[in-house]
Amino acid sequence: MTKLAIVYYSTYGTNHQMAEIAADAARAAGAEVRLLKVAETAPEAVVNSQDGWKAHTEATAHIPVATPEDMEWADAYLISTPTRFGNAASQMRAFIDALGGMWFQGKLAKPASVMTSTQSPHGGQESTILSLFNTLVHFGAIIVPPGYTDESIQKTGGNPYGYAHTQGTEFTDDVKAAIGAQTRRLVDVATKLSA
């Protein structure tokens, strides 16, 4: 059974929903899944000053925080992060930046894929995913983008790099299909490489 770590950061819940959809798709494809959030680095007073942020933090308190051990456990990993000025959120970067010891030992050289979200359709979706591709190359990861391998990708904006959601839009069946297609492709590649 292929082991997939789905590692996400979410302020208001968009990337959490994306990660949950991916987890369902991975389980349906026969993978063992760890759904993990990265640690919050914003001060508690800042989080608590915004009702939506505070509510989401409380609603997802039960989800385990990702650790380097989770990344070692996994045969593949899927990263989902909101965009911050065209790059991954600082919370995700803080987690990634703490993986230096694993990188040095070659323990991150596995199949990997990336998803993101932005407030607007052109708010840095592709640049965020591509910036994480740079990191994955340093890890020696095998980048597994969705490309145009499933018709659902065209129906949700045609982003071949990785699924990108615009905050506030619905999680339609087409969206779920696109996230599912990307996740299944990652599981499939990881399974073939593990054989």
Side-chain angles (χ1 to χ4, degrees):
M1 181 180 284
T2 298
K3 298 177 288 186
L4 177 65
I6 300 175
V7 181
Y8 79 91
Y9 175 73
S10 197
T11 307
Y12 300 108
T14 300
N15 281 271
H16 171 239
Q17 286 181 269
M18 292 162 57
E20 290 279 9
I21 293 165
D24 288 344
R27 289 184 190 108
E32 182 180 352
V33 177
R34 286 188 186 175
L35 179 67
L36 307 156
K37 63 186 177 189
V38 298
E40 181 59 75
T41 59
E44 188 175 347
V46 173
V47 173
N48 291 337
S49 71
Q50 298 183 38
D51 292 340
W53 197 349
K54 179 181 178 184
H56 178 68
T57 300
E58 291 171 352
T60 57
H62 65 285
I63 296 176
V65 173
T67 66
E69 290 74 25
D70 292 310
M71 300 298 280
E72 184 171 0
W73 165 85
D75 297 314
Y77 47 95
L78 174 61
I79 295 170
S80 189
T81 178
T83 293
R84 296 292 187 266
F85 309 108
N87 287 290
S90 61
Q91 292 86 344
M92 183 60 73
R93 287 299 331 170
F95 173 70
I96 289 170
D97 290 348
L99 297 174
M102 295 194 66
W103 159 77
F104 186 73
Q105 297 173 59
K107 293 182 177 179
L108 300 170
K110 304 172 180 184
S113 200
V114 181
M115 302 187 298
T116 192
S117 70
T118 56
Q119 191 170 6
S120 62
H122 301 289
Q125 293 175 342
E126 290 181 3
S127 66
T128 298
I129 293 171
L130 292 172
S131 72
L132 284 168
F133 282 6
N134 289 335
T135 300
L136 295 177
V137 168
H138 281 261
F139 287 170
I142 298 166
I143 299 170
V144 184
Y148 295 111
T149 58
D150 190 276
E151 66 180 25
S152 63
I153 290 136
Q154 291 289 2
K155 292 180 179 178
T156 57
N159 186 338
Y161 306 103
Y163 179 73
H165 195 80
T166 302
Q167 186 181 3
T169 60
E170 288 185 50
F171 283 91
T172 63
D173 288 343
D174 286 341
V175 166
K176 293 174 184 177
I179 293 171
Q182 180 174 350
T183 305
R184 284 189 303 277
R185 186 162 196 256
L186 177 59
V187 169
D188 184 53
V189 168
T191 301
K192 287 175 180 174
L193 288 173
S194 296

